[in-house]
Amino acid sequence: MAVVETREVHEAGWLERMGSSIKGVLTGVVFILGAGALLFWNEGRAVKTARRLAEGAGAVVSVPSDKVDAANEGKLVHVSGRAETKEELSDAPFGVRATAIKLSRSVEYYQWVENADVKREKQGDKTIEKTTYTYKKAWCRRPVDSSKFKEAGHENPGTASAFSDQDLYAKEVTLGAFKLSETNIRRISGSKPIAFPQDFKLPEALKGASLVNGVIYLPGTAPTATAQPAAGNGVSPLAAAAQAAGQAVANAVVTRDVAVSPQVGDLRVTFTLVEPHDISLCQMQKGNSFVPWVASDGETIALQREGLIAAAAMFTDAQKSNTKFTWFLRLIGFLVMFTGFKMVFGPISTLVDVIPLLRNIVGIGVGLVSFLLAAAGSLITAGIAWIVYRPVVGISLIAVAVGCIVLLILKKGKAAQAK
């Protein structure tokens, strides 16, 4: 079944759109200023991070993991080796045990899900919006609240569940002669599905649960067995038959193959673990453990990677990550500034909105001008920031920005001559 909701969409008139676009000018200014602040901060952050990593690369000392040398106390050290633990992590409700650095439980819920498909169509001089709601059952990472569904008959059980996601960490993990801190332990990745032994059995308390291809399926209701009353003994044959029928239903629920025929409210549980494996880190040696190393600018370095990675490679990768993040924020800043300029020029576009030909021409022009202004603004902002940190590069960026502005002026001049 599907539910269709129909409503008439209010279309703003020209005066209303003009009023909105004028109000949008202020928002556009805020966007431009915000983008400028983001770009300026980003350039400073990028330079400081690059310098800090360069400082760390020059100060780091590679040391063996099999012994703790007191002479390296307080130094930025690079250590590679096997992260080991003898601790057994246990998820008691499911009887899952493993010698691991991390043991994770992930729970999914079989739920009704509502999907909304919105379409608009013209009916004379009116615009009608039709929303079609459809329903399906699916495994979900979170319980779904069905109280606001448009159609009844798709109720999900209460969101409370006896089981939820859980992460267990070993308290003591070593790297050769060193002991890893809790922060180091939680940063170790490399999860993989747990391999259940052939003789693994689920606890009897999990009525109706089954293990299929490494996944535990659990019925949403786990009834407990009760003795069936016999007719006679003070119980009428009708009551005895009714209770027997009820117990038969309960037994059917318990023996149902949830993996093949799931019902709403059922659970699907998977387990992953992080086993002992090789890691590398560049951090400050403190006793027989590690803490972030403080650079000359007061900020810290605490590099950690999976595998046996050389110190130089770790710092090179960190510099690459810094560059990628810098360009990502540059793109975000440019797009925000571009949007801001389009909003500032919004009233011009709205002014000619009633004339289709002019609307298209002005729209393209506003987009191009906004693009050039955003490019110039971004470069100028970055250039000013780099003048503070790296004058030569900053002056070059300013020159490119001036070129964008000159190009914009020449374009306007040609457009005026064409008229």
Side-chain angles (χ1 to χ4, degrees):
M1 292 292 291
V3 176
V4 179
E5 271 191 347
T6 303
R7 71 182 185 90
E8 183 179 343
V9 179
H10 169 70
E11 292 189 333
W14 184 83
L15 288 176
E16 189 175 348
R17 293 198 304 275
M18 178 59 77
S20 297
S21 62
I22 292 174
K23 292 178 182 178
V25 172
L26 180 60
T27 304
V29 172
V30 173
F31 273 37
I32 294 169
L33 295 176
L38 172 64
L39 290 167
F40 189 89
W41 170 83
N42 180 47
E43 298 305 323
R45 179 207 60 79
V47 173
K48 291 176 182 177
T49 302
R51 288 177 176 172
R52 186 183 318 122
L53 290 172
E55 180 184 350
V60 67
V61 178
S62 292
V63 301
S65 62
D66 58 354
K67 66 176 181 179
V68 179
D69 188 347
N72 294 318
E73 182 74 12
K75 292 182 180 180
L76 176 62
V77 296
H78 163 256
V79 184
S80 290
R82 187 173 176 82
E84 290 275 11
T85 184
K86 297 180 180 179
E87 195 170 331
E88 184 181 71
L89 302 179
S90 174
D91 193 316
F94 290 91
V96 177
R97 294 179 176 83
T99 300
I101 296 171
K102 178 182 178 182
L103 176 64
S104 299
R105 177 210 295 169
S106 178
V107 181
E108 293 177 282
Y109 308 81
Y110 199 65
Q111 303 275 276
W112 278 109
V113 179
E114 180 182 73
N115 295 308
D117 181 29
V118 182
K119 293 183 179 179
R120 289 189 176 188
E121 58 183 44
K122 278 284 189 180
Q123 292 184 3
D125 59 346
K126 297 180 180 179
T127 299
I128 303 299
E129 183 179 87
K130 289 185 177 180
T131 305
T132 303
Y133 297 92
T134 55
Y135 301 85
K136 68 176 183 179
K137 299 173 186 176
W139 288 105
C140 305
R141 289 289 295 121
R142 296 288 181 270
V144 178
D145 182 6
S146 59
S147 63
K148 297 181 181 179
F149 283 0
K150 297 296 181 181
E151 184 179 59
H154 307 289
E155 286 75 27
N156 290 320
T159 56
S161 172
F163 306 108
S164 58
D165 291 355
Q166 175 180 270
D167 291 327
L168 299 174
Y169 293 89
K171 291 183 174 59
E172 186 165 324
V173 180
T174 59
L175 180 60
F178 294 91
K179 180 180 178 181
L180 296 181
S181 67
E182 181 180 353
T183 301
N184 291 138
I185 294 171
R186 288 178 175 267
R187 287 180 64 185
I188 298 175
S189 59
S191 295
K192 65 179 185 179
I194 191 170
F196 289 93
Q198 292 290 334
D199 59 349
F200 177 80
K201 291 184 180 180
L202 289 165
E204 292 184 3
L206 297 178
K207 301 294 184 181
S210 60
L211 175 63
V212 181
N213 295 327
V215 180
I216 297 174
Y217 292 87
L218 190 67
T221 55
T224 55
T226 55
Q228 296 184 20
N233 297 332
V235 180
S236 69
L238 184 60
Q243 292 188 33
Q247 185 60 42
V249 172
N251 290 337
V253 173
V254 171
T255 59
R256 174 170 56 86
D257 190 341
V258 178
V260 176
S261 304
Q263 295 181 4
V264 172
D266 289 347
L267 304 180
R268 185 167 72 178
V269 185
T270 54
F271 287 89
T272 58
L273 53 76
V274 176
E275 294 179 318
H277 63 277
D278 293 331
I279 67 168
S280 300
L281 53 80
C282 291
Q283 296 177 25
M284 188 177 83
Q285 179 177 317
K286 184 176 181 181
N288 68 339
S289 190
F290 307 97
V291 295
W293 181 73
V294 182
S296 58
D297 63 353
E299 298 297 327
T300 60
I301 291 178
L303 304 183
Q304 184 171 322
R305 291 277 306 278
E306 309 302 312
L308 301 177
I309 313 295
M314 292 183 69
F315 277 98
T316 298
D317 290 344
Q319 289 284 18
K320 289 179 180 178
S321 296
N322 179 43
T323 300
K324 289 179 181 178
F325 187 58
T326 300
W327 277 104
F328 171 74
L329 290 182
R330 284 171 180 167
L331 177 61
I332 295 299
F334 168 77
L335 291 176
V336 172
M337 188 173 289
F338 172 68
T339 302
F341 277 116
K342 286 197 71 174
M343 295 177 75
V344 168
F345 294 123
I348 297 176
S349 298
T350 306
L351 189 64
V352 297
D353 197 33
V354 293
I355 307 174
L357 181 60
L358 278 178
R359 179 176 60 204
N360 294 334
I361 294 174
V362 171
I364 293 172
V366 166
L368 180 58
V369 171
S370 298
F371 178 87
L372 291 173
L373 287 176
S378 299
L379 290 171
I380 289 173
T381 304
I384 293 173
W386 278 73
I387 284 175
V388 176
Y389 301 105
R390 293 184 179 177
V392 175
V393 179
I395 292 172
S396 300
L397 289 175
I398 294 291
V400 175
V402 171
C404 288
I405 295 174
V406 170
L407 179 63
L408 180 61
I409 294 173
L410 291 176
K411 181 176 176 57
K412 285 188 175 182
K414 290 181 179 179
Q417 290 177 1
K419 294 179 181 179

